[in-house]
Amino acid sequence: SQQGEEDPQALSIQEGENATMNCSYKTSINNLQWYRQNSGRGLVHLILIRSNEREKHSGRLRVTLDTSKKSSSLLITASRAADTASYFCATDPYSGAGSYQLTFGKGTKLSVIP
Amino acid sequence: NAGVTQTPKFQVLKTGQSMTLQCAQDMNHEYMSWYRQDPGMGLRLIHYSVGAGITDQGEVPNGYNVSRSTTEDFPLRLLSAAPSQTSVYFCASRARRETQYFGPGTRLLVL
């Protein structure tokens, strides 16, 4: 079963707008990771946020984590056509949960219209 | 560092054939995993390993075998290929509680 669930499934915006994607999960985690996948390509790691962190930035990316709500969000500011891709969250479960592997959601497909 | 490498990039098999997908990493990571990605299904875990000599099943292990004799290598074997195994396969590695790195993927078509 998939731990992380992204929302929305698809998002279409104009170039220059901000894009927000959300991820919800079910069990305690060590960290949460966001990935980007361009069509037909592999997964590229974007940001890792640990369970004791609330917010993290990398360039135009901002990730927040709310462990009380078991949710995370990825904000892409001033979007570009090159940001068109699928975005996945992956949860690294707390070791006490008996699992050692990242589990992925089905992703959010972002389309940025020039 | 080459990171995570996978071979082949693309493979066509006939139903019933067997093959091995190769995966190697040069980052001395303990954890390695195999995922398959199908349209609309996200990534599903096939098998994983937490160290040399230690493997375990993931969400969709049927029809696949793995072994891990060294830290660097984690091959995935298809025992008797079926059309349902047509997919894109990704190998990944990471250190415990750290970023997971993916290989470029292998596209497999089973006729």
Side-chain angles (χ1 to χ4, degrees):
Chain A
S1 62
Q2 284 160 326
Q3 161 84 304
E5 294 288 341
E6 294 91 345
D7 172 63
Q9 293 185 353
L11 180 61
S12 184
I13 59 173
Q14 296 289 329
E15 202 166 29
E17 294 181 336
N18 295 342
T20 299
M21 287 157 270
N22 302 297
C23 172
S24 59
Y25 58 93
K26 297 175 183 175
T27 61
S28 297
I29 60 171
N30 284 314
N31 64 67
L32 186 145
Q33 305 183 26
W34 284 93
Y35 291 82
R36 183 187 73 230
Q37 184 179 36
N38 292 90
S39 181
R41 306 297 294 272
L43 284 91
V44 175
H45 182 262
L46 297 176
I47 288 183
L48 180 154
I49 186 165
R50 300 189 189 278
S51 59
N52 61 351
E53 297 174 313
R54 292 297 167 257
E55 188 171 310
K56 214 162 180 181
H57 296 256
S58 177
R60 294 184 296 112
L61 306 180
R62 172 179 170 251
V63 168
T64 62
L65 179 64
D66 186 336
T67 53
S68 67
K69 295 182 179 178
K70 291 185 169 58
S71 67
S72 174
S73 67
L74 170 66
L75 169 68
I76 304 173
T77 60
S79 63
R80 306 167 181 168
D83 295 327
T84 294
S86 292
Y87 292 81
F88 295 89
C89 69
T91 49
D92 184 1
Y94 174 65
S95 57
S99 177
Y100 302 94
Q101 295 310 305
L102 297 188
T103 51
F104 287 77
K106 294 183 180 180
T108 292
K109 192 168 185 177
L110 173 66
S111 298
V112 181
I113 303 166
Chain B
N1 285 351
V4 182
T5 58
Q6 290 183 238
T7 57
K9 291 184 179 180
F10 183 70
Q11 183 72 46
V12 179
L13 291 179
K14 294 181 179 178
T15 297
Q17 287 185 316
S18 62
M19 78 160 295
T20 299
L21 280 63
Q22 301 292 345
C23 175
Q25 54 95 4
D26 61 0
M27 297 172 280
N28 201 34
H29 286 165
E30 313 158 81
Y31 293 0
M32 295 187 75
S33 306
W34 276 102
Y35 296 86
R36 60 176 289 174
Q37 186 177 34
D38 302 294
M41 297 293 291
L43 285 102
R44 292 185 292 170
L45 183 65
I46 305 171
H47 285 284
Y48 66 95
S49 169
V50 298
I54 306 169
T55 64
D56 206 346
Q57 296 180 353
E59 182 184 356
V60 288
N62 292 342
Y64 309 94
N65 271 358
V66 292
S67 61
R68 188 144 177 227
S69 56
T70 66
T71 300
E72 295 78 19
D73 300 300
F74 191 44
L76 178 72
R77 297 181 190 85
L78 278 70
L79 308 174
S80 177
S84 61
Q85 294 179 304
T86 292
S87 188
V88 182
Y89 291 85
F90 290 101
C91 180
S93 76
R94 69 185 178 112
R96 186 172 179 232
R97 298 186 184 179
E98 297 297 334
T99 298
Q100 178 154 282
Y101 296 94
F102 283 85
T106 294
R107 291 184 176 274
L108 177 67
L109 175 62
V110 182
L111 302 174

